[in-house]
Amino acid sequence: MFKITDYAERLLQDLETPNVIILHGLGGNGESGWGADMQKYFTENSIQSIAPTFPNSSNPEYSEWKQFFEENILERITPQTIIFAHSLGGGFLQKYLSEENVKVKFSELVFVAPTIGDCGIAEISNFFTKEFNYQKIAASVENIFIYAGGNDPYITTEEFTFLAEKLSAQLILNENQEHFWGDWKLEQLPELKEKCTKTIASVLDWPEKIKAMQRNWIGKSTGAEIDFQVENSDEKIRVYTTRPDTLFGATYFVLSPEHPLVEKITTPEQNNEIAQYKVTCAQKSELERTELNKNKTGVFTGSYVINPVNNKKIPIWIADYVMMGYGTGAIMSVPAHDERDKEFAEKYNLEILEVIDGLENPFQKTGGIVKNSDFLNGLSVEEAIEKMITFLEEKKLGEKTINYKLRDWIFTRQRYWGEPIPLVFDENGKSFALDNSQLPLILPESANYEPSETGESPLSKITEWVHVSGYITDENTVIICKESEVPENKHFQNFTRETSTMPNWAGSSWYWLRYMDSKNSDEAWSHNAEKQWGPVDLYVGGAEHAVLHLLYARFWHKAFYDLGLVSTKEPFKKLVNQGLILSYAYQRKSGGLVPSDEIEEKDGKFVEISTQEPVEKIVAKMSKSLKNVVNPDDIVEAYGADTLRMYEMFMGPFEQSKAWDTTALEGMNRFLMKIWRLFSEKEISEHCPSKELIKLTHQTVKKVSEDIDNFKFNTAISQMMIWVNAFQKLDTIPKISGGKFVRLLSPFAPHLAEELWQKFAPEDETISFRSWPSYKEELLVEDEATYAVQVNGKLRGDFTIAKDASKEECIAQAKQLERVAKFIAEAENSGGQIRKEIFVPGKIVGFVVK
RNA sequence: GCCGAGAUGGCGAAAUUGGUAGACGCGCGAGACUCAAAAUCUCGUUUCCUUCGGGAAGUGUGGGUUCGAUUCCCACUCUCGGCACCA
């Protein structure tokens, strides 16, 4: 198994965008130098950042800085925050985080040449009166980095090393660098710039939907675990609850049927019934258990627990709506404020006691005031949770707990096709990793891929592969070899190999790293290749990967990050989900679906051929049973791959599901034929096109280029259609314009574009080696503007005027428009007058007449 | 139930720092070419009214802000996708 649960918190945290705080040093400020550069860089890349300036930074007073920090900065620190702290800013933070009553938690702390001690500078001696609490600093933050120069005049390399060791921080030392001066530019500090770049690269530009699915899958909740004493017994039962504030309202207790204490606490009278119920539950399939979730069942054990806050006796039941796999497998039931508990309590006639007041819906999880609860009465739910946890922790009855739905990952498969696992077992069953020199471990050849009758992996039947000999190295790894090759001081012995293979997820959890260095025969990937290429800039795939592949991939990548094998915390920068292509299907009034080949169209309506019953045209997933599957091979055969590609791009927004429509596809084929005729029937000339057409060509280059960046292929194609419609009116095609167009077309319709390019550059092997066309912004500037004229917000006409016409000119011109004058006159006749004149340069002239 | 996305002509859609709603395409209608058809080209195509100048309404529903709302705010309806006895 893989212990993915250890990464649950980080897999959750890193879905959120970080915010950055940059602290300057002695005599510095937040408005200039590399701190300000850094802030700008982050902001440009949609990361919130601040670079505040401390008061009296040249003559600093710790208490003053502390006050400023707490008033202006503290509230911005979240678990996602990254703090860059330069020089004295770093010294300040060491001191501040060491203070006993300071409680902050954040993600990353990047020290940049931090002061250690007072560096012999009198002005800052008040910052360094005592030894810092390094343990506390390290506990406040997940990762600490120290960037430093080997020739720093204030702090020695030994001191940096000391700090790195104390904080378990990563020290990035540039031997030739001295102090990182605050007024330097970010460009002068390449290591730091790279750190920023990597931070930006690690921010997930993912659809909210996928992030939400991952959050949901990880399923974090906070609450408390509470021990309940079983009456007349030494046993305690521990429950997990997110609502410790409702402890006084707990009126019964439920264990999962698989809970280990069930047998022990069941009374003799209840024994039969409990045993029977357990058998019933064990026989229920997964499906039955979910299907039956509306009809709860359970059995009383005969025993009671004591509620630790009021010593009330609470009956213990078992029920299969409580699962062993989550929390502690036992719950305290508060039927007044939990829907499931209420349903169960009503069915079995158990007590229901309200403890929260003032709720519209008794099951809502926030708001409300606690009642019937002794020392919690009158508190809000949030306050009561806090107070109850403190109470439980003080009395040693329980503690605050975090729970995740995410489970550990069973990684072994008993089948042939999978990567074999490089582990061997000695004769006592102790496991060893194969030595690096033995890798990669290759799947043995076999004629038999079927699993064995015992359910063991097919590999277990290849005995000559399973049973091997070798020795254990000093690193506790195993080298397989002949007896003669064993070094003198080592013991030759027998091993058996692990015969399970890895799941399909194994390869998909790291393949992108291999892609970065696919020819490397010494290692899976080199650090340099990863640094150069990683992380993956853009990952296009289906939303069905939201919680398996994409979560596993993130998990592996984080494990690699911890091992220092990759330089970013996240593998995929931007994720885009393409929409599904759906298809039309036909539905009877009764709801049944009819295959499309049993449908005919009559007067624009659709009827079932056999019965003539009208049916409705709907959009549905392609499936064999609906006979609405479109086979791309048939489309390529009939129209060509270019038509298919372009039609799919033109159908609508990339991320949206869209219905296939073969008649619309023919329109795309028509467009491509039109392009073909345009360039083959008309001569390509050296004529200079008109000013308008030059402008159109440049507009088209701009629009198509930008739309590609934004995945807006549909509107890029619209623009190309506009271009073609305009140029087909000409007798000859100007070479420059046509050449630009064909290059724009090439990623959309590569076959056609390649063919057409021969007319422009027959010497070229392929159009792909040509550069992307460029456009000139100055050619796009209009010299005339068309103004829409509104009276009281309604469009009443328009006029065209020179681009640089003044407000006064435009308003005068607008007033002369017949319809405008008419409406103004009408309003004035009924007692109104012009109250306001609106002028939006280049767009609108408006009059408000009242 | 919870989470996420969406709703614009006959159809796929376009337009958001608030500024001429419907670009582009499909379909449909008319015309040109043709003996004829296909292909191609041209024109028209949100709805209603019209004295043919125009006028009114209109982006799921109901409110609000604004000179002006597909765009911003509040409430709601429906559709699609995901999760679901998680305490």
Side-chain angles (χ1 to χ4, degrees):
Chain A
M1 292 177 85
F2 276 175
K3 207 170 179 200
I4 190 171
T5 50
D6 270 7
Y7 283 74
E9 188 59 33
R10 284 163 64 191
L11 288 167
L12 190 65
Q13 286 292 336
D14 290 347
L15 292 171
E16 312 306 328
T17 304
N19 66 321
V20 171
I21 295 168
I22 302 159
L23 304 180
H24 63 77
L26 176 65
N29 62 66
E31 285 100 54
S32 64
W34 55 262
D37 289 351
M38 206 186 254
Q39 200 220 340
K40 203 174 141 219
Y41 189 40
F42 281 123
T43 306
E44 276 168 5
N45 287 282
S46 331
I47 294 181
Q48 279 196 12
S49 67
I50 52 167
T53 301
F54 283 108
N56 294 321
S57 78
S58 302
N59 199 6
E61 200 55 59
Y62 175 75
S63 57
E64 204 177 17
W65 278 35
K66 179 181 168 183
Q67 191 190 350
F68 177 84
F69 188 86
E70 290 187 331
E71 280 171 7
N72 300 288
I73 301 171
L74 196 56
E75 61 181 17
R76 306 187 65 137
I77 299 180
T78 70
Q80 278 81 245
T81 298
I82 301 173
I83 301 182
F84 287 82
H86 174 228
S87 195
L88 186 61
F92 165 77
L93 215 53
Q94 290 170 54
K95 178 157 181 163
Y96 182 71
L97 293 174
S98 293
E99 287 198 27
E100 205 146 296
N101 49 2
V102 168
K103 275 190 190 170
V104 286
K105 282 261 178 203
F106 56 105
S107 159
E108 241 172 57
L109 174 51
V110 183
F111 283 122
V112 183
T115 51
I116 299 170
D118 64 12
C119 306
I121 303 170
E123 289 93 324
I124 64 171
S125 57
N126 69 89
F127 277 69
F128 302 99
T129 48
K130 61 168 184 167
E131 175 89 350
F132 296 137
N133 184 346
Y134 293 113
Q135 220 176 345
K136 187 166 176 301
I137 299 172
S140 315
V141 54
E142 237 181 82
N143 287 308
I144 305 179
F145 298 84
I146 302 170
Y147 286 78
N151 293 327
D152 195 304
Y154 302 112
I155 306 114
T156 64
T157 302
E158 287 70 39
E159 284 172 316
F160 286 132
T161 312
F162 163 83
L163 187 65
E165 271 168 20
K166 283 283 186 189
L167 296 175
S168 319
Q170 198 180 329
L171 178 62
I172 299 101
L173 194 71
N174 183 336
E175 291 294 344
N176 305 318
Q177 185 69 268
E178 43 158 333
H179 199 67
F180 293 65
W181 299 107
D183 55 358
W184 283 11
K185 290 283 154 201
L186 188 53
E187 303 300 329
Q188 291 169 269
L189 302 160
E191 296 95 343
L192 208 50
K193 172 104 193 239
E194 192 192 312
K195 175 72 192 160
C196 297
T197 308
K198 286 292 178 188
T199 300
I200 290 162
S202 292
V203 175
L204 297 190
D205 184 3
W206 283 24
E208 186 49 40
K209 178 187 168 172
I210 303 292
K211 291 200 277 187
M213 280 165 80
Q214 292 216 344
R215 279 184 209 113
N216 191 274
W217 191 263
I218 294 166
K220 181 180 182 175
S221 70
T222 54
E225 288 190 354
I226 307 172
D227 287 322
F228 285 70
Q229 186 70 48
V230 180
E231 193 195 31
N232 304 324
S233 156
D234 296 339
E235 294 296 341
K236 279 182 183 171
I237 302 176
R238 176 161 270 231
V239 299
Y240 171 69
T241 178
T242 54
R243 295 294 302 276
D245 56 310
T246 60
L247 184 49
F248 285 93
T251 54
Y252 68 100
F253 212 76
V254 187
L255 304 188
S256 158
E258 298 88 23
H259 196 284
L261 283 178
V262 172
E263 263 87 49
K264 223 169 204 173
I265 59 159
T266 302
T267 58
E269 307 85 72
Q270 294 299 106
N271 228 335
N272 263 346
E273 218 183 323
I274 291 282
Q276 226 166 47
Y277 184 73
K278 285 191 66 168
V279 170
T280 318
C281 292
Q283 282 169 347
K284 277 186 196 171
S285 68
E286 194 69 33
L287 189 69
E288 280 173 311
R289 247 174 122 147
T290 27
E291 266 180 5
L292 291 172
N293 74 30
K294 290 283 167 318
N295 187 12
K296 294 190 173 38
T297 57
V299 178
F300 180 44
T301 61
S303 290
Y304 295 84
V305 286
I306 305 299
N307 188 333
V309 287
N310 59 8
N311 294 324
K312 224 165 113 179
K313 258 173 76 174
I314 300 176
I316 309 173
W317 288 61
I318 68 170
D320 68 355
Y321 82 90
V322 173
M323 290 164 301
M324 200 53 226
Y326 183 78
T328 60
I331 61 164
M332 62 174 216
S333 290
V334 185
H337 303 291
D338 184 280
E339 241 173 320
R340 296 151 306 172
D341 292 348
K342 183 165 192 181
E343 194 192 320
F344 192 83
E346 281 173 345
K347 181 168 173 182
Y348 292 105
N349 241 334
L350 297 158
E351 190 194 350
I352 298 174
L353 173 65
E354 272 193 39
V355 290
I356 310 286
D357 215 358
L359 294 177
E360 260 176 60
N361 165 5
F363 306 128
Q364 79 192 43
K365 294 187 165 60
T366 52
I369 301 295
V370 180
K371 65 175 178 185
N372 297 331
S373 297
D374 193 8
F375 62 91
L376 298 181
N377 284 342
L379 296 178
S380 72
V381 165
E382 291 74 18
E383 290 164 343
I385 289 174
E386 203 60 25
K387 186 155 183 185
M388 180 58 90
I389 288 174
T390 313
F391 175 84
L392 293 170
E393 286 179 345
E394 271 171 12
K395 304 264 169 186
K396 305 239 182 297
L397 294 167
E399 69 244 353
K400 187 172 180 174
T401 316
I402 294 168
N403 242 304
Y404 301 92
K405 289 187 212 170
L406 187 70
R407 310 289 168 77
D408 280 325
W409 179 14
I410 297 175
F411 194 66
T412 51
R413 298 291 184 274
Q414 289 68 52
R415 61 180 178 197
Y416 178 80
W417 291 109
E419 298 89 334
I421 295 169
L423 286 177
V424 294
F425 301 88
D426 69 9
E427 281 160 337
N428 301 318
K430 189 170 184 251
S431 65
F432 294 88
L434 281 184
D435 192 75
N436 277 349
S437 64
Q438 307 284 292
L439 301 179
L441 177 60
I442 307 286
L443 195 60
E445 294 206 16
S446 170
N448 188 355
Y449 304 139
E450 282 163 23
S452 65
E453 279 152 22
T454 58
E456 274 183 294
S457 164
L459 295 184
S460 66
K461 288 181 289 188
I462 311 173
T463 48
E464 69 278 15
W465 183 77
V466 175
H467 297 285
V468 292
S469 307
Y471 66 95
I472 301 168
T473 67
D474 293 338
E475 284 83 42
N476 229 19
T477 59
V478 164
I479 290 181
I480 310 281
C481 63
K482 292 179 196 145
E483 187 161 15
S484 57
E485 293 163 2
V486 177
E488 266 177 32
N489 58 341
K490 297 295 172 200
H491 169 57
F492 184 65
Q493 56 179 300
N494 292 329
F495 296 97
T496 51
R497 289 187 193 269
E498 169 61 52
T499 57
S500 296
T501 53
M502 299 187 202
N504 56 326
W505 309 112
S508 67
S509 292
W510 71 283
Y511 73 95
W512 65 90
L513 291 164
R514 181 63 184 176
Y515 280 15
M516 294 171 192
D517 201 5
S518 63
K519 302 230 162 78
N520 189 335
S521 54
D522 299 328
E523 52 194 341
W525 66 87
S526 72
H527 197 58
N528 281 345
E530 186 278 330
K531 256 175 115 172
Q532 154 124 32
W533 295 104
V536 174
D537 296 291
L538 173 66
Y539 200 24
V540 179
E544 68 273 18
H545 292 127
V547 283
L548 294 176
H549 164 55
L550 286 172
L551 197 65
Y552 294 148
R554 292 181 62 219
F555 164 51
W556 278 50
H557 201 87
K558 285 180 190 307
F560 292 150
Y561 178 79
D562 292 347
L563 293 168
L565 297 172
V566 298
S567 57
T568 63
K569 288 193 211 168
E570 288 287 333
F572 313 123
K573 169 82 181 137
K574 184 182 170 90
L575 176 71
V576 179
N577 296 130
Q578 81 277 25
L580 286 178
I581 303 298
L582 306 173
S583 184
Y584 290 111
Y586 300 88
Q587 189 171 34
R588 294 193 192 103
K589 290 243 159 64
S590 61
L593 290 154
V594 188
S596 49
D597 58 352
E598 292 170 22
I599 297 294
E600 62 182 347
E601 194 177 347
K602 275 194 175 172
D603 311 321
K605 301 250 163 84
F606 298 94
V607 297
E608 197 173 341
I609 296 170
S610 54
T611 60
Q612 293 296 303
E613 192 197 335
V615 290
E616 204 190 337
K617 192 177 180 183
I618 59 159
V619 171
K621 275 185 189 171
M622 292 192 189
S623 82
K624 277 185 187 164
S625 60
L626 297 177
K627 296 200 178 162
N628 64 350
V629 174
V630 178
N631 182 350
D633 290 341
D634 298 340
I635 303 296
V636 170
E637 183 70 27
Y639 299 98
D642 284 347
T643 300
L644 175 65
R645 286 167 66 98
M646 281 192 78
Y647 171 61
E648 288 200 311
M649 286 187 268
F650 189 62
M651 284 172 90
F654 183 79
E655 282 156 273
Q656 187 176 301
S657 295
K658 292 149 288 208
W660 183 272
D661 181 359
T662 301
T663 56
L665 171 98
E666 280 167 20
M668 186 51 67
N669 193 53
R670 221 176 285 163
F671 175 57
L672 292 176
M673 297 299 280
K674 203 171 180 178
I675 295 172
W676 174 250
R677 284 196 309 273
L678 182 75
F679 289 101
S680 53
E681 288 174 6
K682 292 180 202 287
E683 191 195 329
I684 292 164
S685 71
E686 301 291 341
H687 289 150
C688 184
S690 69
K691 206 176 156 192
E692 279 71 36
L693 289 179
I694 291 174
K695 188 158 95 188
L696 175 63
T697 302
H698 282 248
Q699 272 168 350
T700 303
V701 173
K702 181 179 176 170
K703 174 85 176 144
V704 171
S705 306
E706 288 175 356
D707 282 354
I708 289 173
D709 284 343
N710 296 316
F711 279 79
K712 291 168 76 174
F713 306 120
N714 53 337
T715 50
I717 291 171
S718 296
Q719 184 64 34
M720 289 194 274
M721 287 172 167
I722 292 168
W723 187 93
V724 170
N725 288 342
F727 275 77
Q728 73 166 1
K729 295 193 172 78
L730 303 181
D731 297 326
T732 64
I733 301 299
K735 191 169 182 179
I736 295 173
S737 312
K740 279 184 194 275
F741 177 82
V742 173
R743 279 178 288 156
L744 291 182
L745 182 69
S746 68
F748 293 84
H751 304 91
L752 177 61
E754 198 69 70
E755 194 66 30
L756 293 175
W757 189 245
Q758 288 302 303
K759 294 174 189 299
F760 291 89
E763 71 280 8
D764 277 9
E765 190 188 329
T766 164
I767 190 172
S768 304
F769 296 158
R770 286 280 172 166
S771 61
W772 189 247
S774 59
Y775 64 93
K776 286 198 176 120
E777 200 71 54
E778 62 266 29
L779 288 175
L780 303 178
V781 178
E782 311 266 350
D783 35 48
E784 285 190 324
T786 299
Y787 280 85
V789 185
Q790 295 179 340
V791 180
N792 290 339
K794 292 202 180 202
L795 181 69
R796 297 301 177 193
D798 57 41
F799 65 91
T800 301
I801 195 167
K803 174 95 181 165
D804 51 3
S806 69
K807 178 179 175 181
E808 286 68 29
E809 282 176 280
C810 289
I811 286 172
Q813 179 105 24
K815 278 182 180 166
Q816 281 170 18
L817 290 173
E818 199 185 317
R819 284 163 60 206
V820 175
K822 192 176 98 187
F823 278 94
I824 292 176
E826 260 173 38
E828 281 173 347
N829 285 344
S830 48
Q833 55 177 295
I834 296 178
R835 304 273 174 193
K836 197 174 174 186
E837 292 172 342
I838 293 139
F839 178 71
V840 182
K843 281 183 178 163
I844 293 277
V845 175
F847 301 99
V848 182
V849 194
K850 271 185 190 163

